[in-house]
């Protein structure tokens, strides 16, 4: 699958009009342009270049970025942890906030609280991400000065607190794309569980409602929620593109945008391959977690 | 159907009416410039003010509604057609066709769509038709799954088997007997699909890769308004609010339809 | 809360440093940033935003506009733009030209050291040019600026000679324009692709050197202790990578940025409302133009070009899109070049659609049935390719509407930037397009107008005119300033008459400066950074 993605991206991106940004500038003469294209080996046939690339990739060499001349693997390694941090924080936030919210809604279903939270979730799913990000920057950074507006850390004042402060807004904005779905799934699967017989039995045996909800219900309710979260992983990763653009977050999304706009062919392919690999790995992880939660899914 | 879903339907009908009839009533050219009256406050001549080169914002919103809705609906239709085809074929024939197509569906579901959109739009160039194909091409998978499930379920039903034994072609069996069973789920998918497509269009336009100006769409209006966030936030407010309201309405309507059409959820409520 | 607590700490820290520096406790009254009312004090950090990771090598083809700032601080050239934009001494102390004008000799400053302690010498200059700029297969950035240079010879450690193939009186100006000298002892093996240099901690001669390069985040500079000039006041200069324009403004408003170019002139009023920020503007060596492809017979008629320039309301473009920061252009020489600019031409073509229609009529274009002009039964209609960058989209929309008023139909074709360059610049497959030129602070604009550059060099419209070629060559070979001034006055009026490009306007740069930052000279920010040793921070 990953080789397929690499081939597809490689040939596809080479079809794009234009060329590497260093060649496609206004103030470069035709003579310089030819020299650079030859330098970068872009005057060779695409098939030959792909064969070279694949040969290197199998040995762990993803090629050299045309825009910065650094190894593609290194450029990705610089940015990947930041994206994982952002996506991980957003996921954690969605779980920590989303599951209790969903449980609360299930327990109090059809109350005004339930309806209000449902409406809020729907709103969260409907607001354009970048718009929400901009509004939050205007409020929290420009008007109230309580949080930094962008970036991953302040220069020279790099501390854990500082990093967390930088993480709050982007993680919240990114979480807004998946949180409502987590809430929704938790609510409906919790409702399913709550109306089932064994819970009624547990309640009738005189167990306290809280013990029933958390002891018996939640574990079973979490199985479909975990699968749902697994299905959300690609959306989360895709959401980083826009979120990183709004918050100047130095991650994979911004790298992908730079690479595509600058026609950095090896970098585009490298990013695509890594993103595909993450998608594969994350779905494996979800399968494993589901297996742990659900004794019926074995082997 | 819930009150909120009915309300959403009314809102959507109103928005569509504005998009279709609005430009006929409010006859101002959305690309006519008037730099002498740039960034004007709302007035009788310009009920929603003007943008940075004096174009009428109301007219741009109305024409923008047309394009935004059109892109949303067309992308949804593309996804619907593609998804139905893949799901129906996989579910009907089973075997290796099933394995291949459903593996493809799963793989596509696992790909973060936005990274792909980025690459495709860079290659294919920006524009409405590209956007429709790209968004449609990356959002057909849920439809395929729904149709696949329904096809598998009804494939073995007596009336289907009977029709087949009477010599009906596969296409006819699918079209006449199986797919109609999937219509309720498809309506729900389609409604939610429009919401997704509109949001995606605005995000792609925000990155400067969407509908090409000067033709207005809500997404590219937002992108242009970005520049004026600090001075004229209302320029960003109108299209931002318009997108939110329409997407919200589609989402509520989709949920309402799901509850109304799916007996399982109805009993639970 | 976090933020304000932290900035309080910063202020305390700065105060402590200032206090430690001795008796210079006289508080500077806040005022215009360039007026050093109080005595300069040492210490503090200045933060400047850039839009992407820079490449720290002035000759790398990947050194885009975000790299200019940093490279101009790090790498001294032989000359630098003076505060009047005329070339001033930098690594070279003085220079002389041979009688035939084909040989320039530069006397270098002695005792200059690289930031790694190695001595700087004429060998480094010869290396920079002979082994980088003049090597065609390397495709070094800006090498086109030095096409007149044949070779560079290190005569002795402090003397270097440039031999030219033709007269080139702008050489000293061009050496001040992104032509930093790089160290031979570090880059000998691989001049343009040494990553530890380009993306790490390069060896340089400027007042500051790189302390840390953090990809995607920042590049911080500290004082270069081996710098030949006076000790700079600021402890640190930090370039932060902030791609989004709104975020830059938000950061300026929240005090995280000390000085920046406000590309987004719409935000001026918002920035002005902040008491901690000052807004200054000044002309740039830049002009916007509309190129009409000269391979299209409709545009070879000068009457058509003159009609277009009167049909376009350029003042309205400046007032709306540029928010008033700019002036109408009628030639390639900008008002920033005070010694050469001819202000009398500014009113040559006022906005006059009626005159435009009349001229078009004289050129044989008559109104058709639907108001669209036509000639031989064909309507006057063409496509304008629009690069999606900066303000080009609204500018094209305005031009389209202006042309429509005189009966000319221009269809807009917006394109993603990279694809646009491919179509318009590389393939020259376009009919009409709007863009801009920025050039070194010298009136020698030969490369953008020479007939020999039509179709492949910087002559985008493909305009060929022997008389203009001749005038521009006279400018390049002029013996003294008075003669150059006279030639370029002629060049300007001839350009205004013939309109090789349709000149639109000269933009101004708007800078946002923290009111505590002092000593910044009255230059465009990209030039002012070359005087960063004079910048200092006043106590708040």
């Amino acid at each position: 699958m990953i080789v397929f993605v690499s081939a597809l991206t490689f040939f596809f991106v080479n079809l794009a009009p234009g060329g590497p940004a260093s060649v496609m500038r206004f103030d470069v003469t035709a003579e310089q342009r030819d020299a650079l294209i030859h330098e970068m080996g872009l005057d060779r046939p695409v098939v030959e270049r792909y064969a070279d690339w694949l040969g290197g990739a199998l040995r762990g060499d993803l090629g050299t970025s045309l825009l910065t001349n650094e190894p593609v693997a290194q450029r990705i390694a610089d940015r990947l942890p930041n994206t994982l941090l952002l996506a991980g924080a957003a996921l954690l936030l969605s779980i920590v906030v989303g599951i209790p919210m969903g449980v609360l809604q299930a327990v109090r279903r059809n109350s005004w609280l339930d309806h209000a939270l449902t409406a809020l979730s729907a709103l969260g799913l409907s607001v354009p991400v970048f718009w929400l990000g901009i509004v939050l920057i205007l409020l929290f950074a420009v008007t109230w000065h309580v949080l930094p507006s962008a970036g991953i850390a302040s220069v020279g004042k790099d501390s854990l607190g500082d990093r967390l402060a930088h993480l709050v807004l982007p993680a919240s904005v990114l979480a807004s794309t998946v949180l409502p779905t987590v809430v929704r799934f938790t609510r409906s699967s919790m409702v399913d569980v709550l109306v089932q017989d064994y819970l009624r039995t547990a309640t009738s045996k005189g167990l306290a409602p809280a013990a029933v909800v958390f002891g018996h219900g939640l574990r079973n309710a979490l199985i479909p929620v975990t699968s749902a979260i697994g299905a959300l992983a690609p959306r989360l990763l895709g959401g980083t593109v826009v979120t990183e653009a709004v918050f100047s977050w130095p991650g994979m999304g911004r790298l992908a945008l730079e690479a595509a706009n600058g026609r950095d062919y090896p970098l585009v392919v490298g990013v695509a391959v890594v993103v595909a690999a993450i998608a594969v790995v994350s779905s494996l992880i979800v399968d494993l977690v589901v297996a742990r939660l659900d004794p019926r899914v074995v082997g | 159907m819930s009150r909120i879903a009915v309300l959403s339907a009314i809102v959507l009908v109103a928005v569509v009416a504005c998009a279709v009839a609005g430009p006929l009533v409010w006859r101002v050219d959305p690309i006519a410039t008037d730099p002498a009256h740039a960034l004007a406050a709302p007035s009788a001549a310009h009920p929603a003010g003007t943008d940075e080169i004096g174009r009428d914002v109301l007219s741009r919103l109305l024409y923008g509604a047309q394009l935004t809705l059109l892109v949303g609906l067309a992308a949804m239709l593309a996804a619907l057609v593609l998804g139905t085809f893949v799901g129906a074929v996989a579910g009907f024939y089973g075997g290796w066709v099933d394995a291949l197509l459903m593996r493809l569906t799963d793989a596509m579901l696992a790909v973060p769509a936005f990274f792909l959109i980025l690459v495709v739009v860079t290659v294919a160039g920006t524009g409405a038709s590209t956007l429709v194909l790209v968004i449609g091409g990356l959002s057909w998978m849920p439809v395929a799954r729904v149709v696949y499930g329904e096809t598998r379920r009804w494939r073995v039903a007596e009336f289907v088997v009977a029709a087949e034994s009477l010599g009906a072609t596969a296409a006819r069996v699918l079209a006449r007997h199986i797919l109609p069973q999937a219509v309720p789920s498809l309506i729900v998918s389609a409604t939610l699909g429009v919401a997704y497509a509109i949001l995606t269009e605005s995000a792609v336009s925000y990155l400067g890769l969407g509908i090409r100006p000067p033709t207005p769409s809500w997404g590219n209006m937002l992108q242009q308004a970005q520049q004026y966030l600090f001075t004229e936030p209302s320029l960003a407010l109108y299209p931002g609010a318009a997108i939110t309201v329409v997407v919200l309405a589609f989402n509520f309507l989709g949920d309402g339809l799901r509850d109304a059409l799916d007996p399982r959820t109805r009993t639970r409520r | 809360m976090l933020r304000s607590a932290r900035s309080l700490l910063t202020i305390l820290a700065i105060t402590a440093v200032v206090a430690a520096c001795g008796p210079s406790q006289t508080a500077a009254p806040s005022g215009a940033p360039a007026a050093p009312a109080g005595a300069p004090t040492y210490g503090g950090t200045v933060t400047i935003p850039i839009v992407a990771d820079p490449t720290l090598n002035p000759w790398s083809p990947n050194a885009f506009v975000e790299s200019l700032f940093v490279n101009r601080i790090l790498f001294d050239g032989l000359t630098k733009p003076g505060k009047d934009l005329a070339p001033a001494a930098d690594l070279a102390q003085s220079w002389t030209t041979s009688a035939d004008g084909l040989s320039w000799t530069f006397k270098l400053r002695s005792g200059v050291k690289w930031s790694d302690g190695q001595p700087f010498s004429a060998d480094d200059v010869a290396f920079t040019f002979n082994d980088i700029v003049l090597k065609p297969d390397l495709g070094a950035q800006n090498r086109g600026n030095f096409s007149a240079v044949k070779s560079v010879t290190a005569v002795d450690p402090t003397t270097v000679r440039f031999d030219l193939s033709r007269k080139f009186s702008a050489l000293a100006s061009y050496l001040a324009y992104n032509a930093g000298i790089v160290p031979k002892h570090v880059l000998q093996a691989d001049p343009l692709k040494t990553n530890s240099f380009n993306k790490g901690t390069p060896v340089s001669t400027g007042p500051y050197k790189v302390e840390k390069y953090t990809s995607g985040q920042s590049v911080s500079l500290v004082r270069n202790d081996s710098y030949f000039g006076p000790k700079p006041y600021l402890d640190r200069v930090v370039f932060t990578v902030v791609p989004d324009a709104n975020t830059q403004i938000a950061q300026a408003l929240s005090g995280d940025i000390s000085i920046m170019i406000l590309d987004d002139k719409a935000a001026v009023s918002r920035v002005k409302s902040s008491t901690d920020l000052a807004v200054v503007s000044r002309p740039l060596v830049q002009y916007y133009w509309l190129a009409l492809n000269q391979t299209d017979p409709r545009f070879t008629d000068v009457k058509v070009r003159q009609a277009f320039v009167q049909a376009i309301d350029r003042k309205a473009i400046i007032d709306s899109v540029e928010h008033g920061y700019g002036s109408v252009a009628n030639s390639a020489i900008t008002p920033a070049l005070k010694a050469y600019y001819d202000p009398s031409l500014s009113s040559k073509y006022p906005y006059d659609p009626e005159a435009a229609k009349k001229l078009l009529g004289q050129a044989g274009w008559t109104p058709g049935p639907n108001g669209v002009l036509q000639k031989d039964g064909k309507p006057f209609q063409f496509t304008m390719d629009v690069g999606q960058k900066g303000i080009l989209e609204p500018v094209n929309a305005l031009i389209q509407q202006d042309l429509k008023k005189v009966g000319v139909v221009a269809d807009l074709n917006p394109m993603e930037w990279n694809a646009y360059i491919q179509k318009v610049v590389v393939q020259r497959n376009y009919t009409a397009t709007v863009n801009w030129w920025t050039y070194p602070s010298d009136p020698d604009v030969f490369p953008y107008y020479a007939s020999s550059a039509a179709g492949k060099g910087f002559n985008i419209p493909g305009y060929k005119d022997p008389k203009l070629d001749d005038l521009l060559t006279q400018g390049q070979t002029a013996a003294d300033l008075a003669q150059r001034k006279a030639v370029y006055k002629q060049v300007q009026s001839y350009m205004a008459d013939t309109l090789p490009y349709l000149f639109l306007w000269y933009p101004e740069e708007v800078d946002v400066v923290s009111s505590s930052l002092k000593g910044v000279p009255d230059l465009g920010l990209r030039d002012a950074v070359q005087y960063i040793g004079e910048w200092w921070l006043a106590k708040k």
Side-chain angles (χ1 to χ4, degrees), chain B residues 84-102:
Chain B
T84 305
F85 178 78
V86 171
V89 168
F92 190 82
Y93 290 104
W96 66 270
V97 178
D98 177 350
L100 182 78
L101 287 179
M102 292 325 280

PDB file of all heavy atoms in Angstrom, chain B residues 84-102:
ATOM      1  N   THR B  84     -22.182   4.684  -4.470  1.00  0.00           N
ATOM      2  CA  THR B  84     -23.232   3.708  -4.754  1.00  0.00           C
ATOM      3  C   THR B  84     -22.716   2.637  -5.705  1.00  0.00           C
ATOM      4  O   THR B  84     -22.932   1.442  -5.501  1.00  0.00           O
ATOM      5  CB  THR B  84     -24.453   4.419  -5.390  1.00  0.00           C
ATOM      6  OG1 THR B  84     -24.848   5.470  -4.520  1.00  0.00           O
ATOM      7  CG2 THR B  84     -25.584   3.453  -5.600  1.00  0.00           C
ATOM      8  N   PHE B  85     -21.989   3.089  -6.722  1.00  0.00           N
ATOM      9  CA  PHE B  85     -21.462   2.142  -7.694  1.00  0.00           C
ATOM     10  C   PHE B  85     -20.534   1.134  -7.012  1.00  0.00           C
ATOM     11  O   PHE B  85     -20.723  -0.083  -7.115  1.00  0.00           O
ATOM     12  CB  PHE B  85     -20.710   2.909  -8.794  1.00  0.00           C
ATOM     13  CG  PHE B  85     -20.091   2.015  -9.825  1.00  0.00           C
ATOM     14  CD1 PHE B  85     -20.863   1.445 -10.821  1.00  0.00           C
ATOM     15  CD2 PHE B  85     -18.735   1.723  -9.773  1.00  0.00           C
ATOM     16  CE1 PHE B  85     -20.299   0.614 -11.767  1.00  0.00           C
ATOM     17  CE2 PHE B  85     -18.164   0.889 -10.716  1.00  0.00           C
ATOM     18  CZ  PHE B  85     -18.948   0.328 -11.717  1.00  0.00           C
ATOM     19  N   VAL B  86     -19.556   1.658  -6.268  1.00  0.00           N
ATOM     20  CA  VAL B  86     -18.580   0.771  -5.622  1.00  0.00           C
ATOM     21  C   VAL B  86     -19.278  -0.171  -4.637  1.00  0.00           C
ATOM     22  O   VAL B  86     -19.083  -1.394  -4.662  1.00  0.00           O
ATOM     23  CB  VAL B  86     -17.491   1.601  -4.900  1.00  0.00           C
ATOM     24  CG1 VAL B  86     -16.622   0.699  -4.046  1.00  0.00           C
ATOM     25  CG2 VAL B  86     -16.651   2.355  -5.910  1.00  0.00           C
ATOM     26  N   GLY B  87     -20.139   0.415  -3.788  1.00  0.00           N
ATOM     27  CA  GLY B  87     -20.804  -0.400  -2.774  1.00  0.00           C
ATOM     28  C   GLY B  87     -21.699  -1.464  -3.389  1.00  0.00           C
ATOM     29  O   GLY B  87     -21.695  -2.622  -2.961  1.00  0.00           O
ATOM     30  N   ALA B  88     -22.456  -1.079  -4.419  1.00  0.00           N
ATOM     31  CA  ALA B  88     -23.397  -2.009  -5.024  1.00  0.00           C
ATOM     32  C   ALA B  88     -22.669  -3.141  -5.735  1.00  0.00           C
ATOM     33  O   ALA B  88     -23.006  -4.322  -5.569  1.00  0.00           O
ATOM     34  CB  ALA B  88     -24.309  -1.262  -6.014  1.00  0.00           C
ATOM     35  N   VAL B  89     -21.645  -2.781  -6.497  1.00  0.00           N
ATOM     36  CA  VAL B  89     -20.900  -3.811  -7.222  1.00  0.00           C
ATOM     37  C   VAL B  89     -20.240  -4.778  -6.241  1.00  0.00           C
ATOM     38  O   VAL B  89     -20.342  -6.004  -6.386  1.00  0.00           O
ATOM     39  CB  VAL B  89     -19.859  -3.162  -8.161  1.00  0.00           C
ATOM     40  CG1 VAL B  89     -18.897  -4.202  -8.691  1.00  0.00           C
ATOM     41  CG2 VAL B  89     -20.566  -2.446  -9.304  1.00  0.00           C
ATOM     42  N   ALA B  90     -19.603  -4.212  -5.219  1.00  0.00           N
ATOM     43  CA  ALA B  90     -18.917  -5.065  -4.251  1.00  0.00           C
ATOM     44  C   ALA B  90     -19.901  -5.970  -3.541  1.00  0.00           C
ATOM     45  O   ALA B  90     -19.685  -7.177  -3.382  1.00  0.00           O
ATOM     46  CB  ALA B  90     -18.149  -4.209  -3.246  1.00  0.00           C
ATOM     47  N   GLY B  91     -21.024  -5.406  -3.123  1.00  0.00           N
ATOM     48  CA  GLY B  91     -21.994  -6.182  -2.360  1.00  0.00           C
ATOM     49  C   GLY B  91     -22.710  -7.207  -3.223  1.00  0.00           C
ATOM     50  O   GLY B  91     -23.054  -8.296  -2.769  1.00  0.00           O
ATOM     51  N   PHE B  92     -22.933  -6.868  -4.494  1.00  0.00           N
ATOM     52  CA  PHE B  92     -23.712  -7.750  -5.359  1.00  0.00           C
ATOM     53  C   PHE B  92     -22.886  -8.948  -5.811  1.00  0.00           C
ATOM     54  O   PHE B  92     -23.334 -10.088  -5.746  1.00  0.00           O
ATOM     55  CB  PHE B  92     -24.190  -6.966  -6.583  1.00  0.00           C
ATOM     56  CG  PHE B  92     -25.202  -7.710  -7.413  1.00  0.00           C
ATOM     57  CD1 PHE B  92     -26.541  -7.709  -7.043  1.00  0.00           C
ATOM     58  CD2 PHE B  92     -24.810  -8.410  -8.544  1.00  0.00           C
ATOM     59  CE1 PHE B  92     -27.476  -8.397  -7.797  1.00  0.00           C
ATOM     60  CE2 PHE B  92     -25.753  -9.107  -9.299  1.00  0.00           C
ATOM     61  CZ  PHE B  92     -27.088  -9.093  -8.926  1.00  0.00           C
ATOM     62  N   TYR B  93     -21.641  -8.685  -6.236  1.00  0.00           N
ATOM     63  CA  TYR B  93     -20.849  -9.782  -6.792  1.00  0.00           C
ATOM     64  C   TYR B  93     -20.087 -10.565  -5.748  1.00  0.00           C
ATOM     65  O   TYR B  93     -19.819 -11.746  -5.929  1.00  0.00           O
ATOM     66  CB  TYR B  93     -19.901  -9.255  -7.865  1.00  0.00           C
ATOM     67  CG  TYR B  93     -20.637  -8.824  -9.115  1.00  0.00           C
ATOM     68  CD1 TYR B  93     -20.842  -7.496  -9.395  1.00  0.00           C
ATOM     69  CD2 TYR B  93     -21.152  -9.784  -9.991  1.00  0.00           C
ATOM     70  CE1 TYR B  93     -21.549  -7.106 -10.532  1.00  0.00           C
ATOM     71  CE2 TYR B  93     -21.849  -9.402 -11.119  1.00  0.00           C
ATOM     72  CZ  TYR B  93     -22.047  -8.069 -11.387  1.00  0.00           C
ATOM     73  OH  TYR B  93     -22.738  -7.690 -12.499  1.00  0.00           O
ATOM     74  N   GLY B  94     -19.721  -9.902  -4.644  1.00  0.00           N
ATOM     75  CA  GLY B  94     -18.980 -10.620  -3.615  1.00  0.00           C
ATOM     76  C   GLY B  94     -17.635 -11.091  -4.129  1.00  0.00           C
ATOM     77  O   GLY B  94     -17.112 -10.585  -5.128  1.00  0.00           O
ATOM     78  N   GLY B  95     -17.041 -12.057  -3.435  1.00  0.00           N
ATOM     79  CA  GLY B  95     -15.799 -12.671  -3.893  1.00  0.00           C
ATOM     80  C   GLY B  95     -14.647 -11.697  -3.969  1.00  0.00           C
ATOM     81  O   GLY B  95     -14.537 -10.786  -3.143  1.00  0.00           O
ATOM     82  N   TRP B  96     -13.815 -11.877  -5.004  1.00  0.00           N
ATOM     83  CA  TRP B  96     -12.618 -11.037  -5.081  1.00  0.00           C
ATOM     84  C   TRP B  96     -12.956  -9.586  -5.402  1.00  0.00           C
ATOM     85  O   TRP B  96     -12.255  -8.676  -5.005  1.00  0.00           O
ATOM     86  CB  TRP B  96     -11.617 -11.613  -6.087  1.00  0.00           C
ATOM     87  CG  TRP B  96     -12.097 -11.602  -7.525  1.00  0.00           C
ATOM     88  CD1 TRP B  96     -12.783 -12.587  -8.154  1.00  0.00           C
ATOM     89  CD2 TRP B  96     -11.946 -10.535  -8.457  1.00  0.00           C
ATOM     90  NE1 TRP B  96     -13.072 -12.212  -9.447  1.00  0.00           N
ATOM     91  CE2 TRP B  96     -12.560 -10.963  -9.654  1.00  0.00           C
ATOM     92  CE3 TRP B  96     -11.355  -9.285  -8.402  1.00  0.00           C
ATOM     93  CZ2 TRP B  96     -12.620 -10.160 -10.793  1.00  0.00           C
ATOM     94  CZ3 TRP B  96     -11.400  -8.483  -9.546  1.00  0.00           C
ATOM     95  CH2 TRP B  96     -12.031  -8.914 -10.729  1.00  0.00           C
ATOM     96  N   VAL B  97     -14.067  -9.376  -6.153  1.00  0.00           N
ATOM     97  CA  VAL B  97     -14.486  -8.002  -6.442  1.00  0.00           C
ATOM     98  C   VAL B  97     -14.766  -7.284  -5.129  1.00  0.00           C
ATOM     99  O   VAL B  97     -14.308  -6.171  -4.882  1.00  0.00           O
ATOM    100  CB  VAL B  97     -15.759  -8.009  -7.312  1.00  0.00           C
ATOM    101  CG1 VAL B  97     -16.209  -6.583  -7.577  1.00  0.00           C
ATOM    102  CG2 VAL B  97     -15.518  -8.746  -8.607  1.00  0.00           C
ATOM    103  N   ASP B  98     -15.526  -7.959  -4.276  1.00  0.00           N
ATOM    104  CA  ASP B  98     -15.857  -7.438  -2.953  1.00  0.00           C
ATOM    105  C   ASP B  98     -14.578  -7.121  -2.183  1.00  0.00           C
ATOM    106  O   ASP B  98     -14.374  -5.995  -1.712  1.00  0.00           O
ATOM    107  CB  ASP B  98     -16.691  -8.515  -2.236  1.00  0.00           C
ATOM    108  CG  ASP B  98     -17.042  -8.109  -0.820  1.00  0.00           C
ATOM    109  OD1 ASP B  98     -16.490  -7.112  -0.334  1.00  0.00           O
ATOM    110  OD2 ASP B  98     -17.864  -8.813  -0.201  1.00  0.00           O
ATOM    111  N   ALA B  99     -13.692  -8.126  -2.119  1.00  0.00           N
ATOM    112  CA  ALA B  99     -12.462  -7.952  -1.336  1.00  0.00           C
ATOM    113  C   ALA B  99     -11.678  -6.759  -1.839  1.00  0.00           C
ATOM    114  O   ALA B  99     -11.270  -5.877  -1.058  1.00  0.00           O
ATOM    115  CB  ALA B  99     -11.610  -9.220  -1.415  1.00  0.00           C
ATOM    116  N   LEU B 100     -11.519  -6.690  -3.170  1.00  0.00           N
ATOM    117  CA  LEU B 100     -10.714  -5.608  -3.743  1.00  0.00           C
ATOM    118  C   LEU B 100     -11.333  -4.244  -3.460  1.00  0.00           C
ATOM    119  O   LEU B 100     -10.690  -3.338  -2.931  1.00  0.00           O
ATOM    120  CB  LEU B 100     -10.580  -5.829  -5.253  1.00  0.00           C
ATOM    121  CG  LEU B 100      -9.711  -4.798  -5.975  1.00  0.00           C
ATOM    122  CD1 LEU B 100      -8.248  -5.107  -5.739  1.00  0.00           C
ATOM    123  CD2 LEU B 100     -10.023  -4.781  -7.462  1.00  0.00           C
ATOM    124  N   LEU B 101     -12.634  -4.122  -3.791  1.00  0.00           N
ATOM    125  CA  LEU B 101     -13.271  -2.808  -3.673  1.00  0.00           C
ATOM    126  C   LEU B 101     -13.371  -2.358  -2.219  1.00  0.00           C
ATOM    127  O   LEU B 101     -13.148  -1.186  -1.907  1.00  0.00           O
ATOM    128  CB  LEU B 101     -14.659  -2.835  -4.319  1.00  0.00           C
ATOM    129  CG  LEU B 101     -14.650  -2.881  -5.850  1.00  0.00           C
ATOM    130  CD1 LEU B 101     -16.068  -2.935  -6.389  1.00  0.00           C
ATOM    131  CD2 LEU B 101     -13.926  -1.665  -6.415  1.00  0.00           C
ATOM    132  N   MET B 102     -13.702  -3.292  -1.323  1.00  0.00           N
ATOM    133  CA  MET B 102     -13.856  -2.863   0.059  1.00  0.00           C
ATOM    134  C   MET B 102     -12.504  -2.593   0.716  1.00  0.00           C
ATOM    135  O   MET B 102     -12.403  -1.751   1.582  1.00  0.00           O
ATOM    136  CB  MET B 102     -14.691  -3.877   0.863  1.00  0.00           C
ATOM    137  CG  MET B 102     -16.153  -3.940   0.430  1.00  0.00           C
ATOM    138  SD  MET B 102     -16.909  -2.360  -0.118  1.00  0.00           S
ATOM    139  CE  MET B 102     -17.284  -1.571   1.441  1.00  0.00           C
TER     140      MET B 102
END
